[in-house]
Amino acid sequence: MPDWLKVYHKLPYQAKVLAAGARGRYLNRWRYGSETEPLVAEYLAHDHWSADQWRAWREERLAYVLRRAATDVPYYRGQWARRRAAGDRASVELLENWPVLGKEALRAQPKAFLADDCDPKSMFYEHTSGTTGKPLHIWLSRATVRAWFGLFEARARRWYGVDRHDRWAILGGQLVAPVEQEEPPFWVWNGGLNQLYLSAYHLAAENIPAYLDAMRRHEVRYLLGYPSGLYRLAQEVIDGHLTAPRLQVAIGNAEPLLDHQRRAIAQAFGCPVRETYGMAEIAAAASDCEQRRLHIWPEAGHVEILADTVDETVAAGTAGRLIATGLLNADMPLIRYETGDRATMDDVPCACGRSLPVLRAIEGRVDDVVITRDGRHIGRLDPVFKADLPIREAQIIQEDWDVLRVLYVPTSDYTVADGESLVRRIHDRTGEDMTVILEPVNAVPRTANGKFRAVISRVGSRSLAEPVAADGGNS
């Protein structure tokens, strides 16, 4: 656990609120400004553009991003120089002439993807491991950050009848309360973002009434979080015959939203449940409309669906690899980026009337959850890998109630101290009673589609694949 987090955990609750609010105000200054509302209006107007308008916009923006990448970005400039030296005269302005970019290249030399005129010290830095345990490093200019959050404001909040000024709750993976804490609060109020941050690590049945009470007291209008966490919260509401606050909307992010999860969350909170898709790299994004169809955000990135074994586009209705070319972040452009997800494109217009492209399905990774002996369900343990541990990839396997096995691929810099740090981070989330076995491997086993599960649980009282007992809700 970082020293600053140890200090934070020792603070009285009101001091934690002040610290969270300060961080929230910092993020608010990065995300929003005088341009936000004009951007939101512009993006909402794009929803009903004609095919010709979209084509003209995409061709112009894509040409700019490709030219900038080929001339101003060291990684791509070197790639094209080598191709030219070998006699390749392909045009840089045609996307099909660019190879697919794997995550390993981005991981290996992230700053080589920054344009020459960018100073990373003046940019917003993101680091994330996604679902794989592999760290990625991303830099964004203030203009890109504000454009991205303008898109989210338009295509998520405004579509769903809320806005950034509303009070909201997020169920996420930040350690806002020590995992061993047995009494509330299992949350912190962040006034800088009007946000009640709910711990995802204390969702035991006996704690759920306190969660619901906190949501009422803070008058939250909507809830956002991992579908697995929202589902766990909702199922406890249903099973315990509890009364949850009625919300405007519940929004799933970072994981696919399954039908049985949507039904349970809608039943528990009496509201529509919407799905979003995105990534820290902001190369692609999508959100679900009132028809429950997932619309791509073209301004974020251009999406291709390629076959599993060759880099060829598949027909609409056929599943394949989701390849994205980022159009929003031209300072760190990702061209034909292998997102690691599988998806299916749909060519049937949506009854909602929006002209945005539609994804029929996202086959992203639905992680298992670790279930502790005291009944806590812990999903999305990948934050333990987000710092710069010298680990290429990792997988957590729950062998028994009190046993976790971690398969990890170490780099040459890996030391015993790194392993001890990893065990401490896992204990921060599961508790000290969990035995953690570290097992170095050459590679984490993959599934048939080439991906691997970040978490596998071999125990559990309720599987994520099990349907809820009762229908219900306005989904």
Side-chain angles (χ1 to χ4, degrees):
M1 184 187 299
D3 290 342
W4 66 266
L5 189 55
K6 292 178 182 178
V7 172
Y8 168 84
H9 282 167
K10 291 178 181 178
L11 295 174
Y13 180 71
Q14 287 305 320
K16 291 180 180 178
V17 168
L18 291 175
R23 175 64 177 173
R25 288 188 291 275
Y26 168 79
L27 293 175
N28 196 69
R29 289 192 296 272
W30 267 95
R31 295 175 180 180
Y32 308 111
S34 59
E35 67 271 53
T36 296
E37 284 306 315
L39 280 171
V40 170
E42 179 183 341
Y43 294 141
L44 290 174
H46 290 183
D47 290 353
H48 300 280
W49 267 5
S50 68
D52 286 341
Q53 285 175 300
W54 273 122
R55 187 178 304 109
W57 178 90
R58 183 176 61 252
E59 288 176 356
E60 180 179 353
R61 182 63 181 177
L62 186 58
Y64 167 73
V65 171
L66 295 182
R67 284 195 302 270
R68 179 163 168 78
T71 58
D72 298 339
V73 177
Y75 178 86
Y76 297 116
R77 186 168 59 236
Q79 184 183 79
W80 279 100
R82 290 188 295 274
R83 291 176 63 171
R84 295 296 188 236
D88 186 341
R89 293 295 176 261
S91 171
V92 300
E93 296 190 10
L94 295 178
L95 186 61
E96 59 266 31
N97 290 337
W98 291 68
V100 169
L101 171 67
K103 288 180 183 284
E104 281 301 318
L106 181 60
R107 284 186 64 252
Q109 42 182 331
K111 288 188 177 179
F113 288 84
L114 268 174
D116 296 330
D117 56 0
C118 293
D119 178 6
K121 294 178 182 178
S122 66
M123 303 176 80
F124 191 85
Y125 169 64
E126 285 274 13
H127 61 94
T128 178
S129 60
T131 59
T132 65
K134 298 180 178 183
L136 290 170
H137 308 274
I138 307 296
W139 288 270
L140 310 165
S141 70
R142 188 178 296 271
T144 299
V145 171
R146 290 187 174 180
W148 170 247
F149 279 93
L151 267 174
F152 185 85
E153 182 74 12
R155 300 259 169 78
R157 293 191 179 104
R158 301 297 172 90
W159 279 16
Y160 306 149
V162 295
D163 65 39
R164 70 185 188 280
H165 302 296
D166 288 321
R167 290 170 164 249
W168 59 295
I170 180 171
L171 187 61
Q174 296 292 334
L175 287 167
V176 294
V179 69
E180 64 272 11
Q181 184 172 314
E182 296 181 355
E183 299 292 332
F186 306 116
W187 51 80
V188 68
W189 173 252
N190 178 350
L193 292 176
N194 293 319
Q195 175 198 78
L196 180 66
Y197 201 108
L198 303 169
S199 168
Y201 303 106
H202 295 81
L203 292 175
E206 62 270 20
N207 295 334
I208 302 306
Y211 276 78
L212 302 179
D213 182 60
M215 293 172 66
R216 288 191 194 92
R217 286 189 288 106
H218 288 88
E219 300 179 323
V220 301
R221 288 200 68 214
Y222 69 97
L223 177 62
L224 181 145
Y226 302 142
S228 56
L230 301 182
Y231 173 66
R232 169 64 174 165
L233 179 61
Q235 197 66 57
E236 292 294 351
V237 170
I238 295 167
D239 291 349
H241 304 286
L242 304 175
T243 301
R246 304 294 91 176
L247 301 177
Q248 174 71 24
V249 66
I251 305 170
N253 75 338
E255 297 172 355
L257 176 64
L258 306 180
D259 286 343
H260 71 274
Q261 295 172 333
R262 192 191 294 260
R263 291 195 300 270
I265 299 163
Q267 179 180 343
F269 295 101
C271 67
V273 182
R274 302 298 182 215
E275 179 177 13
T276 61
Y277 171 76
M279 60 194 72
E281 304 95 301
I282 62 171
S287 56
D288 177 23
C289 72
E290 59 271 22
Q291 300 296 320
R292 289 175 51 177
R293 299 184 73 192
L294 201 56
H295 291 269
I296 294 170
W297 302 356
E299 301 91 341
H302 175 67
V303 168
E304 303 171 82
I305 307 298
L306 302 187
D308 291 329
T309 56
V310 293
D311 294 342
E312 295 179 359
T313 304
V314 300
T318 301
R321 297 140 55 211
L322 196 159
I323 307 299
T325 296
L327 299 180
L328 203 62
N329 187 7
D331 297 319
M332 190 176 181
L334 301 179
I335 312 299
R336 304 195 84 189
Y337 179 61
E338 184 91 57
T339 65
D341 292 317
R342 284 169 52 81
T344 305
M345 194 73 79
D346 198 332
D347 59 358
V348 177
C350 186
C352 74
R354 297 178 179 91
S355 60
L356 305 171
V358 176
L359 288 172
R360 182 177 300 177
I362 293 281
E363 300 178 16
R365 179 68 259 143
V366 180
D367 291 346
D368 281 354
V369 295
V370 169
I371 304 177
T372 61
R373 194 175 290 278
D374 62 1
R376 290 177 296 116
H377 286 50
I378 303 173
R380 298 290 297 197
L381 275 169
D382 61 278
V384 301
F385 301 107
K386 282 189 177 181
D388 288 337
L389 284 177
I391 292 174
R392 296 194 182 282
E393 60 188 28
Q395 181 182 69
I396 296 174
I397 304 172
Q398 185 173 17
E399 303 279 13
D400 205 340
W401 291 106
D402 302 320
V403 180
L404 294 182
R405 182 179 301 277
V406 181
L407 306 182
Y408 69 98
V409 180
T411 71
S412 58
D413 298 327
Y414 181 87
T415 67
V416 172
D418 294 314
E420 293 171 348
S421 176
L422 176 56
V423 171
R424 284 197 301 272
R425 293 173 192 180
I426 293 174
H427 280 159
D428 287 342
R429 289 158 172 81
T430 65
E432 296 289 339
D433 292 335
M434 186 70 72
T435 298
V436 180
I437 302 169
L438 301 182
E439 182 178 335
V441 294
N442 292 326
V444 171
R446 262 55 175 180
T447 62
N449 65 7
K451 296 177 67 178
F452 68 90
R453 295 155 66 185
V455 178
I456 297 174
S457 180
R458 292 177 178 158
V459 302
S461 59
R462 181 187 298 122
S463 166
L464 283 176
E466 179 184 339
V468 296
D471 250 349
N474 301 314
S475 60

